[in-house]
Amino acid sequence: MAELAGRLDCSVVGEGTTRISGVCALSPGQPGHIGFLANPTYRRLLGHTEAAAVVLTEADAPSSPVPALVASNPHLVFARLAELFASPRCARPGIHATAVVDATARVHSGAEIGSHCVIEADAEIGDAVVLGPHCVVAASARIGAQSRLVARVFIGVGVTMGARCVIHPGAVIGADGFGFARDGVRWVKVPQLGTVRIGDDVEIGANTTVDRGALDDTVLDEGVKLDNQIQIGHNVRIGAHTAIAACTGISGSTVIGRRCMIAGGVGMSGHLQIADDVVITGMTMVTHSLHAAGVYSSGLPVDDNRRWQRNVARFRHLDTLAGRVRRLERGPTAGVVPAADEEGSDA
C-alpha cells in the first residue's frame, strides 16, 4: 500500500505494509485485492467489502474497515491502479500465413498481422501495431505505432491514424459519407473525396462508424473516446479529449469542441458548432449550435404511463393556451386577436 501511495500520489490510512496483488469491485471484494468507492450510492457496501484495501475520498476514510488509499478522485486513481496490474496485449511480430499483403504496402518488422487480414497497396503499418483477425486496411491508409485493431475492423482508403489507438471489433472507419443530390424523384450519389484523420490515443468502440469526408476530411483529435454503436457523419470534427457514449448520432459537418462529454443516445443535427467543455445529457436532441460551456439537456424522463398519457394530451393544447395567455397579457384594450395569433403562430 505504501508503494502504491507513492506511485499514485495518495496518502494511506491504515496499515501501509498491506500487500496488494490485483484490483476488484467493492462488493463483494476479493482478499488481497483493492477496490474503490467513488459513487456515494455504493457507500453502504463499504462496511461489508472483502477487499484487502480500498481507494476512497478523505470523507469516506473513517468508515473504511480496511486500509485505504485516500484520493480526491478515487475513480482516476483506481484506473491507474488497474493499469499497474493489467497485462497489456503486446505485438507478437510477424505476418500470419493467411494474411494478404500487397507488395507495395509497408509493414514494420515489429508489427503483428493476424489471420485473414488484408493490407492494400501503399498502406503503412507502424511499429508494434497489432491487427487482429479479419481486419482490412485499404489503400494508402496509415496506422501509427502501437495501435491495435482488435478484430474485423475496416480502415478505408487514405485514412490516417495516430499512435496508441485502439479500435474495437466491427468498427468501420472511412466508409462513404451519406451524400446524395436530388434529381427529380431520383438520388445522385455525391462522390466522397475526403478521408478520416485520427489523432494519437483515440479509442473507438465496437460497431461504431466514422464516415469519410465529402471534400475535406472527418477529424478526430487526440484523446477522443467513442463508445460502441456511434455514427459520426462526414466532415464532422471532434476536439481533443472529448468522450461520446453509445448510440449517439452526429450529422455531417458538425464541429464539436475539446473536452466535451456527450451521453448516450444523443442526436445532433448537421452543420452545428459545439463549444469546448460542453456536457450533453442522455437522449438530448441538439438542433442548434451551443456556443458556451455548460450542461445541456432535452427530452422528458420516464413517468407513470397514465400520467404520461394525460400530459401528452395536454401537449397538444399548448399552442392554443399560449395564444390565450398572450391575449390576457395584452389586456382588454388590445383589440381583436386574429385567429392565426390565437392558435399561437408567433409562439
Side-chain angles (χ1 to χ4, degrees), residues 237-259:
R237 299 181 67 95
I238 301 178
H241 309 293
T242 284
I244 304 177
C247 298
T248 288
I250 301 174
S251 299
S253 299
T254 285
V255 178
I256 299 173
R258 299 165 60 91
R259 301 176 302 277

Side-chain angles (χ1 to χ4, degrees), residues 190-195 212-218 234-235 253:
V190 177
Q192 303 293 286
L193 305 178
T195 186
R212 68 192 307 105
L215 294 174
D216 296 328
D217 297 337
T218 302
H234 56 189
N235 297 109
S253 299

Side-chain angles (χ1 to χ4, degrees), residues 18-32:
T18 300
R19 295 185 64 83
I20 302 299
S21 58
V23 296
C24 67
L26 182 64
S27 178
Q30 186 175 345

Side-chain angles (χ1 to χ4, degrees), residues 1 36 91 93 96 110-112 122 126 139 143 172 178 190 192 205 210 228 263 278 299 319 323 327 331:
M1 286 285 284
F36 81 104
H96 196 276
E112 175 186 344
D122 195 41
I143 310 297
V172 176
F178 192 66
V190 177
Q192 303 293 286
V210 181
N228 303 331
V278 162
D319 204 34
R327 193 162 63 247

Side-chain angles (χ1 to χ4, degrees), residues 106-108 111 113 119 123-127 129 131 137 141-143:
R106 298 178 296 281
V107 179
H108 194 283
I113 311 302
I119 302 175
E124 182 176 336
I125 309 298
D127 185 20
V129 166
L131 300 190
V137 180
R142 305 284 185 270
I143 310 297

Side-chain angles (χ1 to χ4, degrees), residues 5 12 63 67 87-88 113 132 145 157 159 173 179 186 222 254 314 338 345 347:
V12 179
S63 303
S87 299
I113 311 302
V157 174
V159 170
I173 314 299
R186 301 174 61 251
E222 65 173 339
T254 285
R314 293 177 178 125
S345 61

